[in-house]
Amino acid sequence: VTAVSDRKSRQIIRRAVKLNPDAVIAVCGCYSETAPEDVRKINGVDIIWGTKNKLALYEKICEKLGLKLGVKSEDMEITCFEGKTRAVIKIEDGCDNFCSYCIIPYARGRIKSRPPEAIINECNRIASAGYKEVVLAGIHVCSYGKDINSSLIELLERLDNETTIERIRLSSIEPNAFFDGFIPRLKKLKKLCPHFHISLQSGCDETLKRMNRRYN
């Protein structure tokens, strides 16, 4: 999967360079994080940026263009999803699971949860803009809060009580998110959509063991 996306990334970078000879070409994301030397070999690339501190990339581009900053990078937030009734809020980044086949922990780093207050504030801003539903997303949503002495269920309870949004939905989660106390607490939430996207990784315990999945 990643071999194909890496190849397509190289193709689109070369196309961008060819179509925009006077532009600043900045390459960022997982590919440039894990294979910066490969990106460096592509003629015409001006900036190589990984997955961390991505908002500072804006400052780097302005510097390269000789422009003054229009806004401070920490103020850059998504506040509008035009023509939609549903908005996406990223609640965490990174993963600590280190499945045997996955490069994400190396490309994205360990779990980094957003403070619940920031998520609540963003949710209320989105609701005040007319949106009815938010989707909580991340690299490994069910790990939210492990690094800040919190948890996904605690965040959901606060969003249910402290926001004006009408519906809350979860993006893809794993079976091990459903610990013994999770479902009874979920049932009390008025805004949570009763729908869970759970990927079936394997129906074989031996395969799951080889994948370094921590469930059967």
Side-chain angles (χ1 to χ4, degrees), residues 66 77 95 119 151 174 180 187:
E77 296 175 329
C95 182
I119 299 170
S151 67
E174 288 187 2
D180 290 344
K187 287 170 65 177

Side-chain angles (χ1 to χ4, degrees), residues 81-146:
F81 292 76
E82 187 174 350
K84 303 290 185 181
T85 57
R86 176 189 295 176
V88 178
I89 296 179
K90 188 169 185 178
I91 64 171
E92 68 86 39
D93 201 356
C95 182
D96 290 353
N97 281 350
F98 291 94
C99 296
S100 57
Y101 57 87
C102 186
I103 199 171
I104 291 246
Y106 304 96
R108 295 282 183 148
R110 309 300 288 266
I111 294 169
K112 295 178 286 293
S113 302
R114 288 182 65 191
E117 290 75 15
I119 299 170
I120 290 167
N121 290 339
E122 184 173 356
C123 187
N124 279 324
R125 281 197 303 273
I126 287 170
S128 65
Y131 296 94
K132 306 297 184 184
E133 180 178 311
V134 293
V135 182
L136 306 184
I139 296 296
H140 198 255
V141 170
C142 60
S143 288
Y144 174 83
K146 289 183 177 180

Side-chain angles (χ1 to χ4, degrees), residues 120-200:
I120 290 167
N121 290 339
E122 184 173 356
C123 187
N124 279 324
R125 281 197 303 273
I126 287 170
S128 65
Y131 296 94
K132 306 297 184 184
E133 180 178 311
V134 293
V135 182
L136 306 184
I139 296 296
H140 198 255
V141 170
C142 60
S143 288
Y144 174 83
K146 289 183 177 180
D147 57 327
I148 57 172
N149 195 31
S150 184
S151 67
L152 179 60
I153 186 60
E154 290 176 21
L155 174 65
L156 289 169
E157 289 170 338
R158 289 195 62 181
L159 289 171
D160 196 64
N161 292 319
E162 301 177 34
T163 68
T164 55
I165 200 74
E166 293 184 21
R167 296 187 301 274
I168 301 167
R169 192 181 295 273
L170 293 171
S171 62
S172 180
I173 57 175
E174 288 187 2
N176 56 0
F178 296 91
F179 58 86
D180 290 344
F182 194 66
I183 292 292
R185 291 170 72 175
L186 281 184
K187 287 170 65 177
K188 297 177 182 178
L189 304 181
K190 299 179 180 66
K191 299 175 181 177
L192 185 71
C193 298
H195 164 266
F196 304 104
H197 176 189
I198 306 173
S199 300
L200 179 64

